[in-house]
Amino acid sequence: MRHFLVFSLMAFFFTAILLLGCSSSEKSENSESSGSADAASMQLIILGGPGAGKGTQARAIVDTFKIGHISTGKILRQEVADSTELGMLVAGIMARGELVADSIILTLVENRLKAPDCKDGFILDGFPRTIPQATGLEGILERRGDTSIRVLYLEVSDEEMTRRLMSRGRADDTEETIKNRIGIFHQQTDPLVEYYDKKGTLIRINGEQSIEAVAADIEAVLSGK
Ligand code: AP5
């Protein structure tokens, strides 16, 4: 009888140890797959200065991969055009080429990401632009349950960005505003390049080529060619 009891106790502890081992290895696999930049993930940021071609390339990516396109500049321009309370608040800031407050932008992005077109992926165009926006985005992604992100960085010289914007002619494409936007880009957004580089999620793209050549480089990276 004593032998039977000792044997039963040993069997119980052995089974318990096995079960605990399985559940902890399952946990670590799950956290790895949701926390790291998954090769197949279509959660993207397109980063670059004013006129680098973010909008142009984001539209091509959306057409190819059927994911949501979130352009914070476009959302804000619509608010201004509709003369909403937010539009009236940001109109002057945008006309001067300055940045809208991080808290406003983070709320806009979190709400926009709830739309059905972002369910299977999205590209963020013009966001994040500051380190607090980047860390705010990490919180948003955690709440959504998938923190993987890849950052496409379009490298273009100031001279080329200025040339492109001067020949486009949007309301904020005046000589003075372009100069201000490029200055603010280097001051506030340049640090993001280093931030994402250190995380290993930055993909550098030569944005100085033709639109088609840039698109081909991006497509090769995204389809793993
Ligand atoms: P936003 O709309 O994001 O403006 P931006 O960053 O200045 O960028 P652009 O839209 O001017 O350029 P792009 O890189 O998209 O280039 P595009 O493809 O259009 O923001 C506007 C304002 O909103 C900000 O200044 C700020 O006030 C506010 N804002 C927005 N987001 C914010 C945020 N997160 N936080 C705070 N404030 C925010 O191309 C430009 C031109 O070049 C086009 O004519 C195009 O045809 C041409 N082109 C593109 N690629 C090429 C190429 N490879 N070769 C030749 N021409 C090209």
Side-chain angles (χ1 to χ4, degrees), residues 48-57 59 71-74 76-77 90 93-102 105 109 125-130 133 154 156 160-161 163-165 167-170 172-173 177 181 207-212 214:
K54 303 183 294 297
T56 306
Q57 297 301 331
R59 284 189 289 277
S71 159
T72 42
K74 193 171 170 204
L76 293 169
R77 277 187 291 281
V90 301
I93 298 172
M94 292 176 74
R96 291 190 296 276
E98 293 164 5
L99 295 187
V100 173
D102 293 333
I105 298 291
V109 171
D125 158 9
F127 170 90
R129 267 173 142 98
T130 62
Q133 288 185 16
L154 299 179
V156 181
E160 175 63 10
M161 293 194 288
R163 196 189 60 74
R164 289 180 191 173
L165 295 179
S167 53
R168 181 177 62 180
R170 203 170 70 191
D172 55 349
D173 288 342
T177 308
R181 283 159 64 197
E208 201 110 2
Q209 314 169 82
S210 70
I211 292 177
E212 296 74 21
V214 177

Side-chain angles (χ1 to χ4, degrees), residues 2-40:
R2 226 177 66 203
H3 280 123
F4 176 74
L5 268 175
V6 170
F7 178 77
S8 301
L9 272 171
M10 278 174 68
F12 173 77
F13 283 124
F14 186 66
T15 313
I17 285 165
L18 265 182
L19 285 174
L20 275 173
C22 282
S23 93
S24 73
S25 75
E26 245 172 48
K27 254 188 219 159
S28 74
E29 269 169 36
N30 287 343
S31 61
E32 256 171 46
S33 66
S34 66
S36 66
D38 175 352

Side-chain angles (χ1 to χ4, degrees), residues 131-148:
I131 298 282
Q133 288 185 16
T135 52
L137 172 64
E138 281 154 25
I140 293 174
L141 296 182
E142 259 165 41
R143 289 191 282 283
R144 284 170 60 89
D146 181 359
T147 57
S148 65

Side-chain angles (χ1 to χ4, degrees), residues 79-126:
E79 296 284 335
V80 174
D82 294 345
S83 300
T84 63
E85 206 175 312
L86 173 61
M88 288 190 277
L89 185 76
V90 301
I93 298 172
M94 292 176 74
R96 291 190 296 276
E98 293 164 5
L99 295 187
V100 173
D102 293 333
S103 57
I104 294 178
I105 298 291
L106 283 164
T107 307
L108 279 182
V109 171
E110 184 152 24
N111 287 336
R112 176 63 183 84
L113 278 170
K114 290 177 184 152
D117 64 335
C118 297
K119 201 176 126 285
D120 297 323
F122 53 81
I123 181 158
L124 300 167
D125 158 9

